[in-house]
Amino acid sequence: MGDLVIENLSKKFKKGDTEILVLKDIDLSVKNGEFVTILGPSGSGKTTLLRIIAGLETYSSGSAILDGEMINGPGPKRGMVFQEYSLFPWKTVLGNVMFGPKMQGFSKEEAEAKATAYLNLVGLSDFKNSYPYELSGGMKQRVAIARALANEPEIILMDEPFGALDAQTRNNLQNELLRIWQEEKRTIIFVTHSVDEAVFLSDRIVILSKRPGVIKKIVEVSIPRPRNRTRPEENTIRNEVLRLLDSNENCKID
């Protein structure tokens, strides 16, 4: 369960009478339980690819298949966490996390039990009756993660979820995310601009070229966890990723 297979996928946007090719011939397989990060320059199609996997964008050609089924729209097997939190301001923390299970048909009691469990997992059970405006940015993002988890998806898609946070909060949430991922054993596909974040979090890093985005290389990060950001092995991978991002070499996939 949770295996994702993308083959020969391309995406074009129409702008007036002009077609803009955003993604070209993307081939990517993600196994159940993997942590995969997508890196690339601005405009390379990182978020577009994530939204295609989420079913929020259509693709122009090729295929995107999850568990043997074509992705052709949103579905409960995929949960999305956005950079801007996207919480309902009129609902409490508990109400926000209960929303997905209630939409899936669970009773109020069942939805509350699920929400409570995931708020406990992200360390926010003491704030279940608070409203989003009462929370810090890091706490809001924890709520967003709990809300995605409460739907119990096979894949969690994260679009620069820590991009707006200060460095210390970002590092703390990276550690928290890894803890949750190891406990929950769900697949995570994570978009970021940060090479350091990608190396610290990922099993594999997918590097996209400038538009039209093609996969330049997929870098394996085989360093055991917990990782140390200052370790020579991590610096070696960081340097390789930075070189690939800066280079104009042709598409190459390992």
Side-chain angles (χ1 to χ4, degrees):
M1 293 182 61
D3 286 358
L4 172 73
V5 180
I6 295 171
E7 293 183 334
N8 203 33
L9 185 144
S10 296
K11 170 66 177 178
K12 295 176 181 177
F13 283 110
K14 275 202 167 186
K15 190 174 183 181
D17 295 330
T18 307
E19 279 192 333
I20 300 171
L21 184 60
V22 179
L23 293 167
K24 181 181 178 185
D25 300 332
I26 300 295
D27 289 306
L28 176 64
S29 294
V30 179
K31 292 182 179 178
N32 183 38
E34 268 197 294
F35 198 127
V36 173
T37 296
I38 303 173
L39 265 179
S42 294
S44 60
K46 301 184 297 296
T47 294
T48 299
L49 179 56
L50 202 71
R51 288 176 63 83
I52 286 171
I53 297 168
L56 301 174
E57 292 276 359
T58 58
Y59 43 92
S60 305
S61 60
S63 61
I65 297 171
L66 177 62
D67 290 343
E69 297 180 0
M70 196 77 72
I71 294 173
N72 53 21
K77 291 183 178 182
R78 287 150 288 144
M80 190 91 172
V81 178
F82 301 92
Q83 180 176 346
E84 64 274 13
Y85 317 128
S86 301
L87 302 178
F88 300 125
W90 61 90
K91 288 184 178 290
T92 62
V93 165
L94 183 64
N96 267 279
V97 181
M98 286 175 62
F99 179 78
K102 286 178 72 176
M103 291 297 290
Q104 290 182 23
F106 288 97
S107 69
K108 181 182 177 183
E109 292 74 18
E110 290 169 328
E112 185 169 347
K114 282 178 178 288
T116 300
Y118 285 110
L119 285 172
N120 184 56
L121 183 67
V122 300
L124 284 178
S125 52
D126 289 343
F127 295 88
K128 65 180 184 180
N129 295 320
S130 300
Y131 287 87
Y133 74 88
E134 299 176 288
L135 306 179
S136 68
M139 292 168 76
K140 288 176 186 175
Q141 201 56 286
R142 286 172 188 248
V143 177
I145 293 168
R147 186 173 64 178
L149 288 168
N151 291 319
E152 299 185 340
E154 294 179 10
I155 298 180
I156 297 177
L157 306 164
M158 309 187 81
D159 188 9
E160 297 193 66
F162 308 146
L165 304 175
D166 65 85
Q168 184 177 354
T169 303
R170 185 171 186 154
N171 287 350
N172 289 341
L173 280 183
Q174 288 168 6
N175 284 309
E176 284 296 295
L177 179 61
L178 285 174
R179 177 185 63 79
I180 292 165
W181 170 68
Q182 288 167 332
E183 286 188 27
E184 288 288 300
K185 296 180 172 59
R186 301 188 196 278
T187 307
I188 295 180
I189 303 177
F190 189 105
V191 164
T192 181
H193 275 102
S194 169
V195 173
D196 176 81
E197 186 166 65
V199 174
F200 185 71
L201 292 174
S202 312
D203 293 322
R204 292 189 295 153
I205 302 170
V206 179
I207 300 173
L208 296 182
S209 69
K210 64 182 180 180
R211 194 178 69 214
V214 300
I215 296 179
K216 297 175 78 169
K217 190 169 184 178
I218 299 178
V219 177
E220 300 275 348
V221 187
S222 55
I223 302 167
R225 297 181 176 93
R227 292 175 181 167
N228 184 329
R229 298 173 200 271
T230 61
R231 196 157 43 191
E233 299 95 317
E234 293 199 31
N235 286 330
T236 298
I237 295 176
R238 261 194 296 271
N239 289 337
E240 180 189 3
V241 172
L242 285 167
R243 178 185 62 78
L244 288 162
L245 287 169
D246 291 340
S247 76
N248 293 314
E249 64 187 57
N250 293 330
C251 175
K252 178 185 175 186
I253 304 178
D254 285 350

